[in-house]
């Protein structure tokens, strides 16, 4: 029964996009009547896909693409017979269909990017929870300039998790960048910390590129969006470990 649920669950994103074939869609609708978790997940997908489609500017295919398609289509068929007007109309519709398909493939592609992003976030959350539960994890609390939280340090697995409460959203065009600080004071980027408007705390997991033993602290600075190779902006936080 669980296997069935898994299969249905895998089909949810395609279903939300209307990309599932009729039989599979009908079977999924029956399963949805009895499965709360699939229903909830579907609602998420529908929210995401509706939001995404609304957010995407309509992409008009370039005239070059249309010409190429028409030429290719014509080249393939022309030698065999002369086209009637209805055949021209049909082939025009066909070209339009191909073009629409390309547009929707690019939309599905952006959607899967978004899903990958969400699963990265979920992975980070699970890692942080697992670290909290791990007996060897060092936990350091901090409270600086109204930003309070904890740093979880797992030197054996070279993992670091930051929980920061009440960190205001970064100003427009800026981002919070985390730095691993070595004993000489050199900084190595540890990625970004992005407070979310609907959450009172922000959380990030850093998988250190070098053994954590070679670092002595974590710093956060405010940098231009996209980050900097070395810190340039104002210091937000420094926690030694
Ligand atoms: Zn289910």
């Amino acid at each position: 029964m669980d296997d069935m649920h898994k299969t249905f669950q895998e089909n949810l994103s395609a279903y939300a996009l209307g990309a599932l074939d009729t039989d599979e869609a009908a079977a999924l609708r029956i399963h949805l009547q009895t499965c709360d978790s699939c229903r909830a997940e579907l609602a998420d997908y529908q929210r995401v896909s509706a939001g995404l489609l609304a957010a995407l500017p309509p992409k008009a295919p370039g005239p070059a693409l249309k010409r190429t398609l028409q030429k290719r289509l014509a080249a393939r068929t022309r030698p065999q017979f002369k086209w009637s007007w209805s055949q021209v109309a049909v082939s025009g519709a066909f070209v339009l269909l191909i073009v629409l398909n390309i547009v929707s493939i690019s939309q599905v592609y952006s959607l899967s990017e978004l899903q990958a992003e969400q699963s990265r976030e979920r992975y980070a959350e699970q890692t942080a929870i697992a670290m909290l539960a791990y007996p060897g994890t060092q936990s350091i609390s901090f409270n600086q300039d109204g930003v309070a939280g904890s740093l979880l340090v797992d030197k054996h697995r070279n993992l670091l998790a930051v929980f920061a409460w009440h960190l205001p959203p970064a100003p427009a065009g800026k981002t919070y960048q985390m730095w691993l600080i070595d004993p000489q004071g050199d900084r190595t980027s540890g990625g970004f910390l992005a407070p979310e408007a609907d959450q009172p705390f922000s959380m990030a997991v850093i998988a250190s590129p070098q053994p954590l033993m070679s670092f002595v602290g974590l710093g956060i600075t405010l940098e231009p969006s996209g980050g900097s190779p070395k810190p340039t902006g104002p210091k937000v936080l420094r926690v030694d470990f």
Side-chain angles (χ1 to χ4, degrees):
M1 213 49 210
D2 258 1
D3 283 352
M4 290 299 288
H5 163 74
K6 246 196 121 43
T7 310
F8 285 125
Q9 196 184 18
E10 281 162 4
N11 282 342
L12 286 170
S13 54
Y15 181 75
L17 287 167
L20 212 56
D21 69 42
T22 328
D23 290 350
E24 284 180 309
L28 178 60
R29 269 194 293 274
I30 293 168
H31 175 74
L32 282 170
Q33 290 170 358
T34 56
C35 181
D36 290 345
S37 90
C38 281
R39 243 185 349 256
E41 202 168 320
L42 176 64
D44 282 345
Y45 281 127
Q46 282 168 335
R47 243 195 321 276
V48 167
S49 54
L52 186 83
L53 291 176
L56 274 178
K59 272 181 226 165
L65 173 67
K66 195 172 172 186
R67 266 199 307 278
T68 312
L69 286 170
Q70 268 168 333
K71 216 178 287 166
R72 241 182 245 170
L73 205 66
R76 199 170 291 173
T77 349
R78 198 183 292 131
Q80 287 150 23
F81 54 82
K82 209 163 168 282
W83 282 16
S84 72
W85 277 113
S86 71
Q87 283 165 329
V88 171
V90 167
S91 75
F94 186 59
V95 167
L96 190 68
L97 263 179
I98 292 173
V99 168
L100 284 175
N101 233 333
I102 291 168
V103 172
S104 74
I105 286 168
S106 73
Q107 288 172 339
V108 169
Y109 180 74
S110 334
L111 182 61
S112 58
E113 289 268 277
L114 196 73
Q115 285 171 333
E117 171 65 28
Q118 285 173 335
S119 76
R120 272 195 296 276
E121 278 170 20
R122 208 169 310 141
Y123 176 76
E125 281 163 19
Q126 283 166 354
T127 306
I129 292 166
M131 284 177 76
L132 267 178
Y134 188 73
T137 299
Q138 185 190 359
S139 170
I140 303 152
S141 51
F142 56 84
N143 191 347
Q144 295 172 20
D145 301 326
V147 179
S150 297
L151 194 64
L152 306 178
V153 185
D154 181 343
K155 288 187 173 160
H156 297 291
R157 284 165 193 76
N158 299 314
L159 283 173
L160 228 145
V162 191
F163 291 86
W165 286 80
H166 309 305
L167 185 66
K174 302 275 180 187
T175 185
Y176 292 108
Q177 190 166 3
M178 302 178 288
W179 306 96
L180 292 164
I181 306 169
D182 73 13
Q184 288 74 46
D186 278 341
R187 266 81 167 159
T188 303
S189 177
F192 305 103
L193 186 63
E196 297 201 16
D198 55 349
Q199 235 174 222
F201 70 90
S202 13
M203 192 272 303
V205 171
I206 305 174
S208 175
Q210 292 149 43
L212 260 189
M213 305 278 190
S214 57
F215 296 106
V216 294
L218 175 90
I220 298 179
T221 56
L222 205 51
E223 299 294 331
S225 289
S228 309
K230 291 287 165 195
T232 61
K235 188 187 109 178
V236 177
L237 199 74
R238 156 122 196 204
V239 184
D240 293 321
F241 54 80

